[in-house]
Amino acid sequence: MHVGQSLEKGAIYLVTRTSGGRQGVVRKYRDWLPGIPDWAIVTLGEGETPLIEAPHLSERIGTRLYLKFEGMNPTASFKDRGMTVALSVAVAGASRACICASTGNTAAAAAAYSARAGISCFVVVPAGKIALGKAVQVLAHGAKIIQIQGNFDAALKLSQKAAEDLGDVVLVNSVNPDRIEGQKTASLELCEALGRPPDTLVLPVGNAGNITAYWKGFKEWRGAGFADTAPRMFGFQAEGASPLVTGRDFEHPETVASAIRIGAPASKEGALTAVRESGGLIESVTDEEILHAQALLAGEEGVFCEPASAAGIAGLLKLAGEDRCPEGTIVSVLTGHGLKDPDVILKRASLPEPVPATFEALVGSMEKAERAER
Ligand code: F0G
């Protein structure tokens, strides 16, 4: 607790501030993570994201559904959990710089945590293919952005080679095990919040680091004796970028969910193991199903996530439609905030023309808007 003073109109007020309890995942889960000295911790207070009940969607799929809203992390995606660990380790090891390939969110998180750490950050992205909000974040944090004429998979290969050949540049993609360690903390949080592991965990899958991390977390929770069970892991890919479903890499992955536009997932084995060991599944959903799920989340539950994040809900709705939805408590991870990708919304809707600033015009517009909705 911090106690300060402020002077106003001659009176002295005592101002009491607390840190709000958000100590960041490295401090909170110290016993579960690689050892990091206190002086090296790079945190922005990530983690402790809300677990939100979804009554309308629960009704649609016929079982109890919660949303783990990872868009509430400091850079508005789940990547912050892994980045705090990766950058803290980089600082502890006196690294000069970090590099990552990205469809946008890894880049935004790497940029923010590097800025905080005071080390250089290079992000390699497919030219013109990352969502506007994510590009803006990278620019705001002053990272060096390199746009390549190639897709994410090419960007990852180049970044890996740069990290290997240049020596003092750390790769902060999820092939870096420190990222996985950080991301697994979301499983621990879920078990704590529910008092036990969920029966099923649902999430979008791109490069497959996150499903690998969640499964590691659940297994460790069970291994530590806190639970007898672990959830079934249900992963969903976008149909146009679904190598784990078809069993072959996609040379030209394509989907509206740009975050998961990935043709050759680096953590493929981790994903397949999670699904096999947990008795889960990996299936695909169409872009149309993804956008429909995003609209339902925003319009009925009041939760605005980016398209990729809605892939899990799209998958659940599809399973429910085929009478294959699992029973029990389901948690769907909403991996990133909707504000990351404003263009997806603006393509389908636009602001109306301005009207005169009169009461009559206001009421006329209200009636017109209500008529249009009917
Ligand atoms: N959801 C969002 C919002 C993402 O940004 C990503 C991955 C995923 C889901 C899939 O997670 O790759 O661990 O299976 N984004 C990476 C990036 C690839 O560069 O930001 P995954």
Side-chain angles (χ1 to χ4, degrees):
M1 199 188 332
H2 171 88
V3 181
Q5 287 185 326
S6 78
L7 255 183
E8 198 183 277
K9 289 182 188 160
I12 296 174
Y13 298 96
L14 278 181
V15 182
T16 308
R17 274 187 310 173
T18 69
S19 66
R22 284 189 165 217
Q23 52 188 330
V25 300
V26 173
R27 287 199 177 90
K28 187 167 175 210
Y29 294 106
R30 207 180 265 283
D31 297 344
W32 302 78
L33 296 175
I36 293 167
D38 254 341
W39 60 266
I41 295 175
V42 182
T43 180
L44 295 169
E46 59 292 319
E48 300 189 48
T49 53
L51 185 62
I52 307 169
E53 278 196 70
H56 298 95
L57 284 166
S58 293
E59 176 117 16
R60 280 176 189 266
I61 64 170
T63 188
R64 189 160 195 165
L65 173 70
Y66 292 88
L67 310 169
K68 179 71 170 160
F69 193 19
E70 289 288 283
M72 295 303 282
N73 274 299
T75 76
S77 89
F78 70 98
K79 304 286 181 180
D80 296 347
R81 291 180 185 275
M83 216 50 86
T84 179
V85 179
L87 263 296
S88 299
V89 171
V91 167
S95 299
R96 172 177 71 87
C98 70
I99 188 166
C100 64
S102 184
T103 55
N105 281 325
T106 298
Y113 282 79
S114 299
R116 181 79 186 185
I119 74 173
S120 302
C121 175
F122 299 94
V123 306
V124 187
V125 301
K129 297 286 189 187
I130 71 170
L132 182 64
K134 304 172 190 180
V136 168
Q137 286 179 287
V138 173
L139 295 174
H141 291 300
K144 288 137 197 106
I145 189 162
I146 297 144
Q147 297 207 75
I148 61 157
Q149 293 158 340
N151 62 24
F152 170 84
D153 306 292
L156 182 56
K157 280 203 187 97
L158 286 169
S159 305
Q160 273 173 316
K161 184 163 170 46
E164 275 161 25
D165 288 10
L166 303 179
D168 55 352
V169 179
V170 184
L171 183 73
V172 292
N173 278 104
S174 58
V175 289
N176 175 338
D178 297 325
R179 282 274 316 276
I180 302 291
E181 289 300 312
Q183 282 173 213
K184 87 182 175 196
T185 61
S187 309
L188 312 180
E189 258 176 44
L190 275 180
C191 295
E192 285 166 350
L194 294 170
R196 64 180 188 89
D199 296 303
T200 306
L201 186 94
V202 180
L203 78 179
V205 176
N207 209 27
N210 210 27
I211 191 168
T212 304
Y214 267 90
W215 183 235
K216 186 167 196 289
F218 287 125
K219 280 203 298 189
E220 288 183 12
W221 185 260
R222 188 179 57 188
F226 292 123
D228 302 330
T229 59
R232 295 172 73 190
M233 305 291 290
F234 280 30
F236 289 94
Q237 298 203 289
E239 195 174 78
S242 53
L244 296 175
V245 182
T246 62
R248 57 169 179 86
D249 288 352
F250 279 48
E251 208 174 316
H252 302 292
E254 205 35 79
T255 166
V256 68
S258 59
I260 51 172
R261 194 184 281 145
I262 292 173
S267 298
K268 177 178 167 180
E269 287 313 319
L272 297 177
T273 303
V275 169
R276 194 183 56 248
E277 289 183 350
S278 72
L281 55 78
I282 293 201
E283 296 194 6
S284 64
V285 284
T286 64
D287 280 3
E288 206 179 307
E289 288 167 332
I290 288 173
L291 293 175
H292 176 62
Q294 185 195 28
L296 285 179
L297 280 161
E300 292 189 354
E301 305 291 8
V303 180
F304 183 29
C305 68
E306 66 172 285
S309 307
I313 298 297
L316 281 178
L317 290 168
K318 187 177 101 166
L319 294 183
E322 297 165 359
D323 234 4
R324 295 196 290 135
C325 198
E327 287 175 4
T329 301
I330 304 181
V331 172
S332 183
V333 185
L334 303 185
T335 45
H337 203 288
L339 287 171
K340 294 264 193 181
D341 194 351
D343 292 328
V344 162
I345 305 299
L346 292 171
K347 261 183 209 145
R348 284 177 294 156
S350 52
L351 288 170
E353 287 302 310
V355 296
T358 64
F359 184 66
E360 290 71 26
L362 170 67
V363 174
S365 297
M366 289 167 72
E367 285 170 358
K368 196 171 146 198
E370 278 196 322
R371 271 199 307 277
E373 213 174 60
R374 263 183 243 128

